[in-house]
Amino acid sequence: MTALPTKEGAGSCPGNDQLECTAIHGREDEQQAVSDLVRRARKGRGGVLLIEGEPGMGKSLLLSEAARVAHAENVSLIAASADELSRFMPLEPLFAALNEAPATLADEATLRGITGLPMWLVAALRARLESRASTGPLVVSMDDLHWADPATLQALRTLPWQLSSYPLSWILARRSPDDGNGSGRLFDLLEGDGATRITLRPLSDDAVARLITDAVGAVPDAGLMALAAGAAGNPQMLTELMGGLWDENGLVIRDGRVGLVSACLPRRIQAMTRRMLERLSAAARHLLEAASVLGRSFRLEDATTLLGTSPAALLPVVQEALTARVLVATSDSLVFRNELVWQAVSEALPLPVRQALHWQFGEALLERGGAAASAAVHLLSGAGSGDCTALAGLDRASAEVLPSSPDIAADLAARALELTPPGDPRVLARSVSAAEALAAAGRPDEAAELARTALVVPQPAASSARLRCALSSALAMSGAAGDALAEAERVLAEPRLSSELRADAMIARLRALIGLRDGPHLAETAQAILAARDGEQRDVVIAALVALAITRWEAGDVTDALDLSSDAVRRGDGLPPDARRFHPHLFLASRLVDLRRFGEARALIRAAPDHIDALAPTGWSATPATLRARMALAEGRLDDATTDAEAALGVTSDAGAHVRDSMAPVVLASVALRHGDVTAAIQHVRGRPLSGAAYADSWGTVIAAQAEEARTGPRAGLEMLAGVYDDLRHHRFLLLWDPAFAAWLTRTALAAGDSGRAAAAAAMAGEIAAGNAGLPIIITSAAHAAGIADGDRGRLEQAGAEHADQWARASALEDLGMLLARTGSADAIASFSRALDDYAAAGAARDVARVRRRLRRLGVRRRHWAAAGRTATGWSSLTATERAISELVSQGLTNQQVADQMFISAHTVAFHLRQIFRKLGISSRVELTRIAMEKARERPRRTRKPEA
């Protein structure tokens, strides 16, 4: 609510001058209510305004505002405030406002022999207020009525309506919730009589930002706003926070924005928290201090574990903390109401004490069983170098959480290794554990470095094997599949391996072979495992089934691949989540998306949420979001596709530098192509690591080639895909990924003059269809490609009628229209029109523009803009075409390049540019680029639409 005055000449870092509260923010409505009440008195009407709120919310400042307005309006104001002693002195606050002492009037009443003293004193008060109000408008301001005595509250219940005929207004303020003195009941009754009641709420984020901006003359950055959010919108605490940061040189101003030098709480907040706790009993303080190590939110049973007591014994002190509003209760926990208070209480504990409490609670959680993940944070905070007991606890917790939370396990194991003194006999074992956990957590660089460092020294056979398995996994994850295979083979060559180590090495070998795309060797290895499946561990059999399914899919044996992966999913049912295993449900869901069996894919993803959650730190958990993005793309929900793809990128970014699920950039590039933004499409796939997910690099290459073809022509696209065409006989994965890819490969080769490659792509699609007669989507895809290669009208009509994918159907109809146009058939217009409608429904603006141009050449014009309701000037006045041209020009494209992208003439582009310049009031492409970039930054975040 309050703001701090800006210092003159504030530079890069604030100085030590004191900041003072001088302005109001976020209380504009309340401020207006105060002003209106004062003016009512001046106009002779009067009224009652009730103000309540928790401590620090700004009641007193609003009363100061009333005094300021009263002075400006020439209205008399008398003010007083109750305090803790007031409850023992009847009517003292009211008499203090009138500068009179109740005791003096009591003596007068005694001399007169008056009985019924309280009633006489109230009458005397009324007489004095009548006298004051008779000489001019008057405002009576009373603060802190939660301390007021019963007689004062009773007087305030009657005086406002007894004096309602006078130009007299009342402003009454109290803290809520009160201490049970009846002020809340008074406010209820007065409100029932017509009083206006204001409850001061926490400040909004916008008000907080304005407060800070007013304080230091600069806009707060995200870091400072995050710290300020810990004040929970409490103006007094925000004032103390900003003042403390200013005093302690904790702020820095750069380029008009103010940020934090460090995130340490200023001493003012610590002092404010101490004052708050001093009002509590020693037992309540003890509870808050101990519970602060549990986090801002904690369960009462955890606090009792830490304090060695029972919930019943803690009830009085918990109630005390709740009454004081330091804690609030939720449905299942107690929460420090204010994050800054929680931080201050925790930081006030001496470090050794805080560490000991963390360790005590971490050990207690381990003893409960099944709570190792929760114990991890406390064990990490409480462990010290060389502490054997603490390090043993870290070892235990790391082993327990490794299957389900490898990221936590990696942190625990790495910390245990870091705290182990050189020469300790446990260094080797902890090195092995840390390498395995880091690899499982998807941190390949750290895992490989640690494993290689440990292997420099001769190791026992078992330790060496475990290190090499971890190294193999890390190398496969990093794209070094050949080296990963060599490490796995070295382990398998060792005699007398334990069954567990042998299983790990076999899985590592399968991963490496998948990365090498060595189909024959992979199939041979997987079949050998399955032939002896009764003697193999279940994880190894599942991995072999998925590996063999990959080879079958590569060969185009779709039904067999689906059966194998379904078998793997069934065998995995009932297994607990483990990030180190193969994930057949994700592989099968991906293949179902390829086949456009979206309902089955969604059901499979929904059936395995626990397994997906366990994959979060490794990046594999991005796969469901990517699959949702692919489904949205196929269904024409481009905004949803973008939202999900960006979410998948966020997961992989959080997981680390490597990207194990790389399909998200490809989806984003596909969306950009649909919108006609070729430059953005190229940027999405350029420089992205596209290895990791099975053969994702091929799809990335095709999308990049599609973008290049759109920019410079089909020959450039063909050159990028030369290796893809040559690999189709052995790697058919790509032809199954999208029902329109076979047709696109055929069409591009023909357009580039390479009929041989065009025929090969169509023939390969035909071979796949021949082997999968029960799958209509594959048969339709092959018919589309053959129709292009052979100029077969019947095949193209079949594809245009049977494609389940909307965009693929539109593509087939466009190809049919082109064939019909070449033969002079009048049916070309109908085919193009149907294609136009399907492209539009799929959100494919670029394809719509191309087909519209084809129709224009046949003498048909389809209107594609809407002028109704459009403003005459400014960005909002631009048509969709003009905005698209503006965005392309802002990317540096020439008129001819824009024309090629949008399938219009360069003269048309020039005409639109003149219109754009006129509407925006500019005269250069530089100015247009600036405006377009600003509008791109302002574009609101897309909102997900519900899935069909």
Side-chain angles (χ1 to χ4, degrees), residues 154 325 357 537 550 727 762 847 926:
Q154 180 60 39
R325 303 291 287 171
L357 289 171
Q537 292 190 12
I550 290 173
D727 274 353
D847 303 299
V926 173

Side-chain angles (χ1 to χ4, degrees), residues 443-473:
R443 291 154 65 174
D445 295 340
E446 297 172 72
E449 181 181 0
L450 180 55
R452 286 189 174 118
T453 300
L455 286 167
V456 169
V457 180
Q459 306 285 355
S463 298
S464 175
R466 288 177 63 187
L467 284 167
R468 291 192 185 282
C469 279
L471 179 58
S472 176
S473 296

Side-chain angles (χ1 to χ4, degrees), residues 849 853 856 864 881 885 895-896 898-910 912:
R853 182 180 65 177
R856 285 199 302 271
H864 63 282
T881 300
I885 289 173
N895 284 10
Q896 187 59 57
V898 173
D900 294 341
Q901 295 263 347
M902 298 188 64
F903 305 102
I904 56 180
S905 70
H907 293 296
T908 302
V909 173
H912 281 302

